[in-house]
Structure formats: C-alpha cells, structure tokens
C-alpha cells in the first residue's frame, strides 16, 4: 500500500511522468502509431517523389559516393584525369545514412524516400515513448497522433532532406536518458543519450546546443533524496557525460577532416557561409547566394573559404550591428511564420504535377497546420488556471493571456507574425511563475530545443524548413497544454499520502 501511494504521489507530481511511464509500457499503442504514421508516408514517398533537387541533390550524390566506397567526396578533373576530392561543406550524417541504405538495398528510385518514411514513423514512436515521461498516458498518445498526422512531417517523406532524421535524434536522446534515469541507470542513460546526440550532430551540428538541457531530465526536485545539491550534481553529471560522449562520436569525423581537408573542421564547413548570408550587405533574413564579389573572391579549400566567410560575417556585424540586429525578426519570421518548403521542393522536382494553384493550396494546409500547432504548443508551458491560491491564479491567467494575445497578433496583424510564440515558449517555461506546471524534465528540454532553433536562426538566417526539427517537440508541448499547476499537484501528493 505504501509503495502504491508513493507511485501515485510521483505520478501526481509529474503529471503522469516517470512513475506512470514505468507502470505501463503502452507498447501496443506505440506499434499502432508506427503503422498509422507509416502508411501515409509510404504513399507520399512512392507517389510524389522524383529526382532530388536543391540541397537534396547534394545529399543524394554524397550518399551514392559513400555507398560506392568512395567516401564523402567528388572527383575533380586535373590534367584530364579524375582526382579524388574530399568534402565536408555539408554535414555528413544524412548522406552517410542514405549511403548505408543504398549499400544494403541498392539506389533505386524510391529507396531513399521509403527510408525517409520509415524514419518518420520511428519518429512518431519515439515521440510517444518520450511524451510518457512528460505527461499522462492519454496526453502522450495525443502527442503521437499529432506527430503521425502532421501534414508537414508526412510530406517530408518525399524529400531528400535532413530534418526528419535530425528531429529523430533530438527526441531519441532525451527519451533514452529519461528512461534509464527513471530505472536508476543514470550513467548508461547519459552515455546512450550522448551517442544519439553525437549521431544527430553529424546530421545537424547545432544539435549539440541541446546537450546542457539533458540535465533537466534527471531532475527530481528539491524534495527528492539529497535535496537541491543532489539534483544539481545528477544533472551536471548527466549533461557532462552526454556531451563528452557526443563529442567522442563526432571525433573520428573531425580527425578525418583534419587529415584530408585543407584544415580542421569539427563537422562541416558551412557555418561561416551561413553567418555571412545572415550579415552581408545584401542580407534579407533568408537564404541569398553569396558571390565571390561579396568578400571572398579567391578560390581556396573548403575550410579556408568557410573561415574567410566567417571573418567577413563577423566584420559586417561589427561594422553595422544595428542592421544585423534589425534583421532578427525577419529571420525568425522566415523560420516560424509559414511552412512552404516541402511544397516548393516537390514543385521544383515535378513542375507538371504541381501547378501554382495546387502548390498554393497545399502551402495553406501546411502553414495553417503548423501555426495551429505552434499556438497550442505555447500553452504547454502554462497551467490550467485554478481559483486558489490567488497569486497562482493571477500568474497563470497572465501567462494564458500573453499566449492568446500573441496568437491574436499573429492572426489579426498585418504581418501575421507567429514567431513570438516560439520565443515565448522557452521564456515562459523558465519563468518561476506561481502555480506553473512542471516545466522541467522533458518539457524543459523540449522548450530548450525550440529556443536553440530560434537562437541559431536569429544569428544566421531563416527558412521555414528549419523549424521542422522541432515540430515533434511542438507536438509534445501541444499535448501538454494547460496541465495542472504545481499547487494542484502538491495537493495531489498530499491526497496520495
């Protein structure tokens, strides 16, 4: 009886978190969610996919070279003879993943997109498994359904782009740590999370920014064994071990770059380019093509070119910081205010099947779905207001009103700006408002992930495809909308005792 009471108390405290996750596996629903997610993605992957375009062309080319045993490279013709030429401009992870798939199954016309469909279905499963450590079983199922039926994530199966694979890593790392921490296996969980994060960094290097947030997944609150200091030590140990493991996973690729390139690069050589694109005199806040006349006219190796553009980008920012700062709202708008990239990609790959009228209609569907999800996700860090105590009621009403005000501004404003909601999610999650819901743990990690995307593209430049990596995080946050506040869960603990 005492053990049951303690389990109920922990479940009440975390809104059905670790205790409820241990109590029932819900594996049957995970399997159902996998099938539900896979079927529409398979259809899109087979019926809509054509030759890869834009960045997808380079990912596919790199994958075919890897599958052929030629490494991440191309051939330069020197003196009439092909000479092996190594790459690392784009991160290697997605091409490496596709290269393995091509090696195993061949490089047929739909092999890559079917692999994308399976990746997207696995992403939904991990969303469900992770959400069980954030909220109640019913809400965790809702998160999985949101991810399974997300129009943008479904359409992405037909694109040879990195975002779904990167998103899978961003939710797999916290799930592995939360699962093992709940079982008393903190060290193993931190190492496994680090492996997942390191592999994800090879797909999307800025994923490493989420390493510190892994500390939140070990949190047990000041009332746990050992109090605050024990909680901080557990968190610091988990984050440090995960970060060290992630860097160890990346290290062989870094060593390869130092050995075969014209200089050392941690993962890729597009950071300097991206900074320059977001800062040079013709910058608009989104992607613009850099030309030699913009500042780096001499043809050099990839590392040297990237360092040149990095220096130029820093110089432009230093010379006119006000202009660079003024571009941040536009960068965030391009990142969060619409969802059109998947349709643009398909239209570029198969113009006859995607006339402008059809593209416009599908863009509206994807954008409306994304903005609705973002709006509800912002309520994932706000508690359902309750009458007592009055300070908690006032604080949560204000937070609720702030979110609704931002939604109204997005709907009614001339610019239809919804990006402030993406900024509000981590800000409200971090504020110590009375009566707030449990915004640490998984919810805190996911809010941090949203913040990492906003920060990255505020510094560099924005495109709507970049928010896709946190669409699964938004699904979990949306499922957590208007949970019970800390005051209510404290009452739940007392009742359980």
């Amino acid at each position: 009886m005492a053990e049951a009471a303690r389990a109920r108390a922990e479940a009440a405290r975390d809104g059905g978190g670790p205790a409820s996750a241990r109590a029932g596996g819900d594996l049957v629903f995970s399997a159902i969610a996998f099938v539900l997610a896979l079927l529409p993605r398979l259809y899109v992957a087979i019926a809509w996919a054509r030759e890869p375009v834009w960045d997808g062309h380079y990912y596919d080319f790199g994958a075919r070279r890897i599958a052929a045993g030629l490494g991440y490279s191309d051939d330069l013709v020197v003196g009439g003879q092909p000479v092996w030429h190594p790459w690392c401009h784009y991160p290697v992870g997605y091409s490496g993943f596709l290269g393995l798939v091509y090696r195993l199954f061949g490089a047929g016309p739909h092999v890559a997109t079917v692999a994308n469909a399976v990746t997207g279905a696995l992403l939904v499963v991990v969303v469900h498994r992770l959400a069980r450590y954030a909220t109640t079983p019913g809400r965790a199922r809702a998160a999985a359904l949101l991810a399974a039926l997300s129009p943008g994530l479904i359409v992405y199966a037909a694109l040879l782009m990195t975002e779904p694979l990167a998103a899978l890593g961003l939710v797999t790392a916290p799930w592995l740590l939360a699962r093992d921490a709940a079982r008393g296996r903190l060290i193993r969980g931190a190492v496994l999370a680090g492996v997942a994060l390191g592999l994800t960094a090879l797909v999307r290097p800025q994923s490493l920014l989420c390493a510190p947030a892994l500390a939140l997944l070990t949190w047990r609150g000041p009332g746990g064994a050992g109090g605050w200091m024990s909680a901080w030590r557990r968190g610091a140990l988990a984050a440090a071990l995960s970060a060290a493991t992630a860097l160890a996973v990346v290290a062989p690729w870094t060593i390869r770059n130092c050995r075969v390139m014209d200089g050392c690069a941690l993962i890729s050589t597009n950071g300097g380019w991206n900074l320059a694109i977001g800062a040079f005199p013709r910058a608009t806040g989104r992607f613009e093509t850099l030309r030699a006349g913009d500042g780096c006219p001499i043809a050099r190796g990839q590392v040297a070119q990237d360092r040149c553009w990095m220096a130029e980008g820093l110089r432009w920012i230093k010379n006119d910081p006000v202009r660079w700062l003024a571009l941040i709202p536009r960068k965030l708008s391009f990142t969060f205010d619409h969802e059109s990239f998947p349709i643009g990609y398909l239209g570029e790959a198969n113009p006859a099947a995607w006339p402008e009228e059809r593209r416009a209609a599908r863009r509206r569907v994807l954008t409306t779905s994304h903005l609705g999800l973002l709006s509800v996700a912002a309520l994932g860090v706000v508690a359902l207001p309750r009458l007592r105590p009055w300070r908690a009621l006032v604080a949560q009403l204000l937070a609720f009103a702030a979110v609704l005000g931002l939604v109204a501004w997005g709907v009614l404003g001339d610019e239809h700006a919804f990006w402030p909601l993406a900024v509000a999610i981590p800000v409200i999650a971090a504020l110590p408002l009375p009566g707030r819901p449990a915004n640490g743990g998984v919810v805190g990690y996911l809010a941090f992930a949203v913040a990492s995307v906003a920060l990255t593209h505020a510094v560099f430049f924005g495109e709507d495809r970049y928010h896709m990596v946190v669409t699964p995080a938004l699904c979990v946050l949306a499922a957590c909308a208007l949970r019970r506040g800390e005051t209510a869960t404290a009452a739940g603990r007392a009742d359980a005792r």
Side-chain angles (χ1 to χ4, degrees):
M1 293 294 290
E3 181 63 28
R6 283 195 295 273
R8 288 195 303 271
E10 189 170 350
R13 184 197 71 204
D14 293 323
S20 63
R22 290 194 298 268
D26 210 7
L27 291 172
V28 172
F29 184 82
S30 290
I32 294 172
F34 177 83
V35 174
L36 181 65
L38 182 62
L39 292 178
R41 286 163 174 80
L42 275 179
Y43 172 80
V44 167
I46 295 171
W48 291 5
R50 294 296 185 273
E51 288 293 320
V53 296
W54 296 341
D55 287 357
H57 167 77
Y58 298 101
Y59 295 133
D60 177 66
F61 180 82
R64 292 173 185 271
R65 295 278 295 188
I66 291 171
L70 299 172
Y72 200 42
S73 65
D74 61 3
D75 287 328
L76 294 179
V77 177
V78 179
Q81 298 294 323
V83 176
W84 182 79
H85 175 244
W87 281 1
C88 73
H89 180 71
Y90 290 100
V92 69
Y94 185 56
S95 289
F97 165 73
L98 290 183
L100 176 61
V101 171
Y102 290 163
R103 186 80 175 186
L104 294 174
F105 303 105
H110 299 300
V111 170
T113 52
V114 168
N116 285 348
V118 175
T119 298
L122 289 174
L123 174 59
V124 172
V125 171
V126 177
V127 163
H128 178 230
R129 308 310 295 174
L130 176 64
R132 290 165 57 252
Y133 292 90
T135 185
T136 62
R139 286 176 179 260
R141 291 183 174 191
L145 291 174
L146 286 171
L149 302 176
S150 164
L153 292 178
I154 290 172
V155 173
Y156 238 86
L159 281 58
L160 264 63
M161 300 297 295
T162 64
E163 281 73 28
L165 187 62
L168 177 60
L170 278 181
V171 292
T172 298
W175 168 55
L176 292 171
L177 180 53
R179 182 197 64 181
D180 280 359
R183 297 172 178 174
R185 299 173 179 173
L186 178 65
I187 301 299
R188 190 185 79 162
V191 171
L192 291 176
V195 171
L197 195 63
L199 293 173
T200 306
L202 291 172
V203 178
R204 179 177 175 270
Q206 56 266 44
S207 302
L208 289 172
L209 294 175
C210 290
L214 291 171
L216 299 171
L217 299 163
T218 69
W219 184 252
R220 288 290 180 270
W228 287 99
M229 289 304 298
S230 176
W232 281 109
R233 282 195 296 268
R234 283 170 56 87
L237 173 63
L241 188 55
S242 296
T245 304
L247 291 174
V249 170
V250 169
W253 183 251
T254 305
I255 294 170
R256 174 266 189 192
N257 291 340
C258 294
R259 182 173 59 84
V260 304
M261 302 299 296
D262 58 303
C264 287
L266 179 64
I267 296 173
S268 59
T269 57
N270 57 356
W273 290 76
N274 291 341
L275 183 67
I277 291 169
F280 74 138
R282 292 189 292 108
T284 61
R286 63 178 304 179
F287 176 80
E288 300 290 344
T289 301
L290 289 174
R291 307 189 187 108
D294 290 319
C296 293
I298 301 175
R300 318 179 189 189
Q302 288 184 0
V303 176
Q305 279 191 324
D306 192 57
R307 290 175 180 173
C308 177
W309 287 120
M310 177 69 72
E312 288 294 290
L314 292 173
R315 181 176 66 83
W316 286 319
I317 293 171
K318 181 180 178 181
N319 288 346
D320 196 350
V322 173
R323 178 179 178 275
W324 179 73
L325 291 172
L327 283 172
I328 289 177
R330 297 174 68 181
K331 294 175 182 179
L332 294 178
S333 176
F334 284 126
T335 303
F336 290 106
D337 283 352
H338 63 104
E339 190 167 288
S340 60
F341 178 85
I343 303 303
Y345 181 107
L346 294 175
E348 180 76 11
N350 189 9
W354 291 89
E356 179 54 34
E357 183 179 349
R358 185 186 183 198
R359 279 186 282 172
R362 298 301 188 273
R363 285 195 297 264
R364 285 194 295 271
V365 170
L366 265 61
T367 295
T368 301
S369 170
H370 160 66
L371 296 180
L373 179 65
L374 179 60
S375 299
V376 179
L379 295 174
V381 292
V382 178
L384 180 66
R386 294 180 177 269
L387 294 179
R388 295 181 181 179
W390 70 268
R391 289 183 179 179
L393 171 65
V394 171
Q396 294 308 308
L397 281 176
L398 289 174
F400 183 73
V403 171
L404 289 188
L406 291 176
V407 172
W409 185 31
V411 172
L412 302 175
D414 293 337
E415 296 184 355
H416 299 294
F418 282 79
W419 64 262
L421 288 166
V423 176
I425 288 172
V427 170
I428 296 176
L431 290 175
L433 299 176
R436 68 177 183 171
N439 285 337
V442 172
V443 171
Y445 171 89
L446 297 176
F448 191 98
V450 174
S452 74
V453 171
L455 177 62
T456 297
H457 297 289
V459 172
F460 296 100
F461 64 89
E463 293 287 350
D464 65 289
R465 72 182 177 101
Y466 297 129
H467 76 243
M468 299 298 299
V469 297
V470 290
T471 294
L474 298 179
C475 291
V476 178
L477 291 171
C480 291
L482 299 178
R483 294 165 291 151
R484 299 169 68 190
E486 289 179 334
T487 303
T489 55
R493 291 198 299 273
D495 293 340
R497 289 193 293 269

